[in-house]
Amino acid sequence: MGQYYDDEFPLDRLISFNKLLEMYDRMAESNDEFIAAKAKYVLEAQAPYPELREGFKDPSLLKKYEKVIEIILQDSFSEVLTHNEIKVASLPYYDLIFSGSQRFKKILAAAGDDFELKARGVPEHLSYIMGCTIILSFYYGFNLDFKRPLFYDIPDENGVMKHYRILYNADFMELIPTEKAKDLTPEDVDELLDNFDNVEVWKDKIPPGSFIARGFVISNMFDATTEHSISEIKSSLISRDKKVSDNFINNLQDVFRSFFNMKDLRVGFVSYNPDEDLFEKLHNKEMTSYLLHDKIMETCSAALCKRSYSKLLDQHDYFAVANVDKYYEMCDGELPAKSLKKQGIKSAIFAPISNEGKLLGILELVSTKVNALNSVNAQKLGDIMPYIVTAVMRSAAEEENLIDAVIQKECTTVHSSVYWKFKEQAKKFIWEESDGKQPSFNDIVFKDVHPLYGQIDIKDSSKARNLSIQKDLIIQLSKINKITTIAWEKQKLPIYEELIFRINNLLEEIEEVLNTNSEQAIFDFIKAEVIPIFDYLKSSNKQLEKMILAYEDEIDPKTETYYNHRKEYDDSVMTINKKLASVIDRKQEDAQAMFPHYFERYKTDGVEHNMYVGQSIAGQLPFNMLYLNNLRLWQLQVMCDMENTHYKLKSKLPVALDVASLLLVYSTSLSIRFRLDEKRFDVDGTYNARYEVIKKRIDKSFIKGTNERLTQTGKLSIVYSQKKEELEYLRYISFLKSKGYFTNNIEIVELEGLQGVTGLKAIRAEILYNKDNESGKTYTYDDLMDELKA
């Protein structure tokens, strides 16, 4: 009995039936003749063996007194209930059994001769402190909750593990103090409770052998297999470390076998991809799928028959097949019957895992026995589905994070319209990695898509930028010249005169024209020639020091130059870009709701955007040319809205910059490829490169036979090459005129041939500007300029 005889223990434990026999002593005095006679019979049987009352340690005596003990325990183990109740007499916390009901004996026999009964939840040994806590609770009256649920795990005749909860009846136990027992004060108990890990303190307060524990317990048990299985499934599914556990799938399968009381039950799972209506295997190699069998993915309509598809995907209800062979004949060998029959499966339950009406995946339970799984026992899943849903949702979130991480690493940010395609590649990448291969993220290609391009460019931005730089440089050099001239007047050093001469030359040069290298040349000159002299002058003359410090206060610390007009220009460009980008970004949400398409916009000196629409991007959604026409009309309106936004903003800008708008209409569909090295989409193939050439050059193009630029302030230029596009856009413009977007000033012009590109034409439509949204009044560009100047 191992630790049972440990000398260093606060309890001296004796097997005894004294408290039960004391009850018979009282019953023998009963007025009920039957009860009295029964009690006297038990007492007479025990009388020759006083040790059964006094108590004994040697467990071998249990065999010696076996028949007498059976008589003593006869009422506790009623013959009427013995085939129903699971009950044993034993020592608490020890697997030492005296007697048991017939049902318990039958359960134990089914487990096999080599089965060793051992309670789960009992400490490896009853430690000294554990013994003391029992004494504190049951003798000193300090209610300490140290109980844990106890179970016997016993396999049945089929090898399915059953779980029996143990409830102790300790009515027949008594604690008797010896001469070693001490009186404990509340302060003593406080000290004990603060020193759970200090056994010496406990031995001092409750010495070894200070109490005798005499008696026995009756262990009542009930079959808690279902409740225990639910708890185990819950624990397995919500455990954070399940991915690192190699035995997770096997453990989960064992629990399901106990739950359904089925030795040959197997568990599978398949995830659902709503973007493409696909079933997909999990990346965990251990988790199989009986619906997919040897495939990694399959469309739901191909993997299921009409009936199973309706049940699982439309109704989100269980689909049970009690007899696979019969089902196979009934559906003429369609899937999934064909696949299940091929795998030797005779019955199955498929349970949809869904949350808030969205299907996440299918739980698959299969058996090699006919009728073992059916629509009746499928209802048992109702108790555990909430935990499965929670686990699948968390697993899906983790997978999304993993997919996002792969996409982020390989491709940076990806637009929502094409995310599904990148997701496919990321899943493939993760699969290859989990299989131990060298994973590679393949190029993403979308074929046969229709491009839309537009830009609102800041007019003469280079000229305005140069003008602002020129003004700042003139101011800075003039201030330097003034300080240097005073220094020359105070001290006629030739070096000052030479410096003034060079500053004047620089001023004359940049007042006439600002060359591309002028800014850097002046910056280098000031840093190398002027600053060292200024540092010297600050320490030599108070007046000059004051002037130089005032000059330095006006120098921007980031650019190390005079940065006033240039800042006004930069702020104006930044404000224009921010406002225009916010307009198209906001309106893009509406456009995506009409039909999904790829969209990107970027800021330069103005705002440009690219859009691509087509079946290959739409995925499962059917594409129609109507959606392209719709986007073209949407784009026209958005360009006018952006123009209006700018001209309401113009009067508030530090530099009143103008913009000009341009659209490119391209008649041919093309292919685009995501370049992994550049982390962006680009046209794919030599033929499609013509589109990019036109895009880059049209804003610099001229009207044929003139020096007039195509793009003009106040007009939207629409570049095209086909007559059908001309007619289409004239139709749109006519419609938008009625809505107050354009005037009647519409012209069609031919463009000078670009390098490698000829035959381009353009519609130029004059935009109506609405100064005040509330009034609804519209203006031409010239009217608006006059209004703003007034």
Side-chain angles (χ1 to χ4, degrees):
M1 292 179 61
Q3 292 292 329
Y4 182 69
Y5 289 104
D6 188 353
D7 291 335
E8 287 289 290
F9 202 70
L11 290 163
D12 194 8
R13 283 152 291 178
L14 299 175
I15 302 168
S16 165
F17 301 93
N18 182 56
K19 285 199 78 175
L20 177 58
L21 291 166
E22 284 178 348
M23 289 184 70
Y24 282 114
D25 288 337
R26 290 190 292 276
M27 290 162 62
E29 306 297 324
S30 173
N31 293 328
D32 187 316
E33 291 182 11
F34 176 77
I35 292 175
K38 174 80 174 184
K40 286 173 184 175
Y41 170 73
V42 172
L43 292 171
E44 285 172 7
Q46 179 272 321
Y49 311 107
E51 56 266 45
L52 292 177
R53 278 187 185 262
E54 294 162 4
F56 55 90
K57 284 190 175 183
D58 186 359
S60 66
L61 293 179
L62 289 168
K63 185 69 177 171
K64 179 181 176 182
Y65 301 130
E66 184 177 9
K67 291 188 177 178
V68 180
I69 291 172
E70 277 187 18
I71 294 171
I72 295 170
L73 295 176
Q74 200 171 60
D75 283 347
S76 301
F77 293 86
S78 167
E79 189 67 26
V80 177
L81 301 173
T82 191
H83 293 286
N84 180 278
E85 291 184 335
I86 312 171
K87 185 189 285 189
V88 294
S90 66
L91 271 187
Y93 299 112
Y94 289 95
D95 302 312
L96 182 65
I97 292 169
F98 318 149
S99 184
S101 65
Q102 287 302 316
R103 185 176 175 192
F104 175 77
K105 290 174 182 176
K106 187 178 177 182
I107 288 168
L108 211 56
D113 294 337
D114 57 347
F115 178 75
E116 183 182 347
L117 187 67
K118 189 170 178 62
R120 173 165 51 86
V122 178
E124 282 298 312
H125 62 277
L126 278 180
S127 68
Y128 193 94
I129 293 173
M130 179 64 78
C132 289
T133 59
I134 294 170
I135 293 167
L136 279 178
S137 290
F138 293 101
Y139 182 78
Y140 290 106
F142 292 96
N143 190 19
L144 301 177
D145 185 7
F146 58 88
K147 298 175 186 174
R148 294 176 63 191
L150 304 178
F151 291 89
Y152 281 132
D153 301 322
I154 307 172
D156 67 8
E157 63 274 9
N158 296 318
V160 175
M161 188 61 73
K162 299 285 193 172
H163 307 280
Y164 301 92
R165 176 79 183 268
I166 305 167
L167 297 176
Y168 283 138
N169 179 349
D171 289 349
F172 310 116
M173 287 293 300
E174 53 189 329
L175 281 181
I176 305 166
T178 68
E179 68 281 356
K180 296 178 184 178
K182 296 182 178 182
D183 292 330
L184 295 185
T185 66
E187 289 75 23
D188 290 330
V189 176
D190 289 345
E191 186 180 351
L192 288 172
L193 296 181
D194 284 336
N195 288 277
F196 185 77
D197 55 349
N198 190 339
V199 72
E200 295 305 320
V201 174
W202 289 83
K203 284 182 178 179
D204 176 58
K205 306 293 182 187
I206 306 175
S210 53
F211 284 83
I212 294 170
R214 188 171 69 173
F216 73 101
V217 294
I218 292 178
S219 302
N220 292 283
M221 289 174 279
F222 65 89
D223 188 343
T225 302
T226 299
E227 293 79 2
H228 181 270
S229 298
I230 291 172
S231 177
E232 286 294 294
I233 288 169
K234 177 182 174 182
S235 300
S236 299
L237 291 173
I238 66 176
S239 172
R240 278 282 171 191
D241 61 349
K242 74 175 190 292
K243 286 206 168 192
V244 300
S245 171
D246 293 335
N247 296 319
F248 168 68
I249 304 303
N250 290 332
N251 293 343
L252 188 63
Q253 199 152 256
D254 287 342
V255 174
F256 268 101
R257 285 170 178 172
S258 294
F259 185 61
F260 277 92
N261 193 24
M262 211 173 295
K263 178 66 176 173
D264 76 322
L265 183 142
R266 284 174 286 164
V267 180
F269 181 82
V270 62
S271 66
Y272 175 65
N273 180 344
D275 295 328
E276 300 178 73
D277 199 34
L278 282 176
F279 285 144
E280 297 176 341
K281 263 189 181 179
L282 291 187
H283 299 126
N284 190 325
K285 291 183 197 174
E286 302 300 319
M287 182 60 91
T288 189
S289 168
Y290 300 98
L291 279 175
L292 292 180
H293 187 27
D294 52 1
K295 296 176 182 174
I296 292 176
M297 63 180 66
E298 180 69 277
T299 59
C300 300
S301 56
L304 301 172
C305 63
K306 285 182 181 178
R307 184 169 159 233
S308 56
Y309 187 101
S310 174
K311 273 268 193 182
L312 293 171
L313 272 76
D314 296 335
Q315 301 171 41
H316 290 189
D317 196 5
Y318 302 140
F319 180 69
V321 182
N323 188 327
V324 169
D325 292 336
K326 189 176 176 183
Y327 172 50
Y328 179 85
E329 298 296 332
M330 188 176 72
C331 67
D332 297 326
E334 281 187 10
L335 289 173
K338 183 180 179 181
S339 176
L340 296 175
K341 187 177 173 68
K342 187 178 178 182
Q343 295 172 76
I345 294 165
K346 299 297 183 184
S347 62
I349 295 170
F350 299 106
I353 300 165
S354 61
N355 182 59
E356 296 180 354
K358 294 181 180 177
L359 185 66
L360 305 171
I362 306 289
L363 175 69
E364 309 165 348
L365 304 176
V366 300
S367 168
T368 54
K369 292 180 181 175
V370 175
N371 293 330
L373 293 165
N374 50 70
S375 61
V376 176
N377 59 13
Q379 305 310 308
K380 284 168 66 79
L381 287 170
D383 295 325
I384 59 172
M385 285 311 283
Y387 309 124
I388 294 173
V389 168
T390 301
V392 171
M393 283 180 66
R394 193 189 72 213
S395 179
E398 288 172 356
E399 178 164 306
E400 284 297 320
N401 290 338
L402 183 58
I403 288 168
D404 282 342
V406 170
I407 293 173
Q408 192 71 25
K409 179 185 173 187
E410 300 293 327
C411 317
T412 66
T413 306
V414 170
H415 190 256
S416 58
S417 63
V418 294
Y419 178 80
W420 64 272
K421 190 78 172 178
F422 286 80
K423 192 173 173 181
E424 277 183 4
Q425 276 297 321
K427 284 181 178 179
K428 177 178 167 289
F429 186 97
I430 294 165
W431 264 108
E432 288 176 354
E433 197 167 44
S434 67
D435 283 346
K437 298 175 184 174
Q438 187 66 38
S440 61
F441 201 97
N442 295 340
D443 283 355
I444 305 287
V445 179
F446 292 102
K447 295 182 177 179
D448 196 26
V449 294
H450 302 273
L452 295 95
Y453 170 76
Q455 68 170 50
I456 292 191
D457 196 35
I458 295 173
K459 285 290 284 179
D460 301 320
S461 57
S462 297
K463 185 177 177 182
R465 185 187 294 109
N466 287 343
L467 186 61
S468 66
I469 294 169
Q470 187 180 36
K471 287 177 180 177
D472 282 342
L473 289 176
I474 289 170
I475 292 169
Q476 186 173 3
L477 286 172
S478 297
K479 288 179 182 293
I480 292 169
N481 201 18
K482 186 176 180 181
I483 294 168
T484 312
T485 301
I486 293 171
W488 158 253
E489 289 171 354
K490 288 187 177 295
Q491 194 177 8
K492 303 285 187 178
L493 293 177
I495 191 70
Y496 296 149
E497 188 177 12
E498 191 267 345
L499 193 60
I500 292 165
F501 171 76
R502 289 164 67 191
I503 291 168
N504 286 328
N505 282 343
L506 287 170
L507 278 167
E508 285 177 15
E509 281 178 23
I510 60 171
E511 281 172 353
E512 187 178 331
V513 62
L514 184 71
N515 295 317
T516 52
N517 64 340
S518 296
E519 187 180 8
Q520 187 62 46
I522 291 169
F523 178 80
D524 293 340
F525 164 70
I526 293 170
K527 199 164 188 177
E529 308 282 345
V530 176
I531 290 174
I533 292 175
F534 276 15
D535 288 341
Y536 164 72
L537 290 174
K538 276 193 291 186
S539 61
S540 65
N541 185 284
K542 289 288 182 186
Q543 182 192 356
L544 289 171
E545 181 187 15
K546 189 176 179 181
M547 290 177 72
I548 292 168
L549 289 173
Y551 160 81
E552 288 175 347
D553 283 343
E554 293 182 322
I555 299 301
D556 182 73
K558 290 182 181 176
T559 61
E560 297 183 36
T561 61
Y562 188 79
Y563 183 65
N564 190 356
H565 293 88
R566 175 64 186 271
K567 185 177 187 303
E568 289 179 348
Y569 169 82
D570 288 345
D571 287 348
S572 298
V573 171
M574 186 176 69
T575 304
I576 291 170
N577 284 349
K578 188 175 178 182
K579 287 284 186 182
L580 297 186
S582 71
V583 172
I584 195 167
D585 286 351
R586 188 175 65 252
K587 292 185 179 291
Q588 243 296 296
E589 294 175 15
D590 298 331
Q592 287 294 341
M594 296 173 195
F595 193 81
H597 58 278
Y598 180 77
F599 171 81
E600 65 179 1
R601 66 115 181 97
Y602 39 96
K603 302 171 186 174
T604 51
D605 281 350
V607 175
E608 297 180 45
H609 67 269
N610 284 311
M611 294 191 289
Y612 300 100
V613 65
Q615 187 62 70
S616 60
I617 289 176
Q620 294 293 309
L621 283 174
F623 172 73
N624 188 287
M625 289 299 286
L626 170 74
Y627 295 116
L628 172 62
N629 299 336
N630 194 65
L631 270 182
R632 286 175 168 177
L633 180 57
W634 171 88
Q635 188 185 35
L636 268 177
Q637 294 177 77
V638 170
M639 294 296 281
C640 291
D641 289 335
M642 291 168 77
E643 281 269 4
N644 269 280
T645 298
H646 169 261
Y647 285 108
K648 286 168 191 167
L649 176 71
K650 183 176 174 181
S651 62
K652 301 169 189 172
L653 296 172
V655 181
L657 297 168
D658 285 321
V659 298
S661 298
L662 172 72
L663 291 181
L664 172 60
V665 185
Y666 201 69
S667 58
T668 312
S669 64
L670 43 78
S671 294
I672 56 171
R673 179 184 295 270
F674 188 83
R675 309 288 180 185
L676 285 170
D677 51 348
E678 298 177 22
K679 311 289 187 192
R680 67 178 185 84
F681 275 105
D682 200 356
V683 294
D684 189 36
T686 308
Y687 175 75
N688 293 325
R690 180 176 184 271
Y691 172 71
E692 288 294 336
V693 171
I694 297 172
K695 230 168 64 173
K696 286 182 173 66
R697 294 175 181 169
I698 47 172
D699 65 324
K700 303 291 191 293
S701 60
F702 292 89
I703 306 301
K704 194 169 188 178
T706 72
N707 290 323
E708 182 187 341
R709 288 282 286 270
L710 166 65
T711 55
Q712 287 187 352
T713 302
K715 293 183 179 180
L716 175 57
S717 301
I718 304 161
V719 178
Y720 61 94
S721 60
Q722 303 289 326
K723 186 66 178 178
K724 64 176 182 177
E725 290 154 357
E726 179 183 298
L727 295 174
E728 180 183 349
Y729 273 84
L730 287 174
R731 194 172 73 244
Y732 296 154
I733 291 167
S734 177
F735 165 69
L736 292 176
K737 270 198 302 181
S738 70
K739 298 287 186 181
Y741 283 87
F742 297 107
T743 73
N744 287 321
N745 185 6
I746 312 294
E747 57 182 326
I748 296 173
V749 295
E750 275 190 72
L751 304 187
E752 283 286 359
L754 304 172
Q755 186 180 348
V757 180
T758 57
L760 293 179
K761 297 174 76 175
I763 299 169
R764 286 202 300 200
E766 186 176 41
I767 300 165
L768 271 174
Y769 293 97
N770 185 343
K771 183 190 172 192
D772 183 351
N773 285 332
E774 293 179 8
S775 71
K777 186 178 178 184
T778 55
Y779 298 83
T780 65
Y781 173 73
D782 291 334
D783 291 338
L784 187 65
M785 290 303 96
D786 292 340
E787 189 75 19
L788 290 173
K789 289 172 187 175

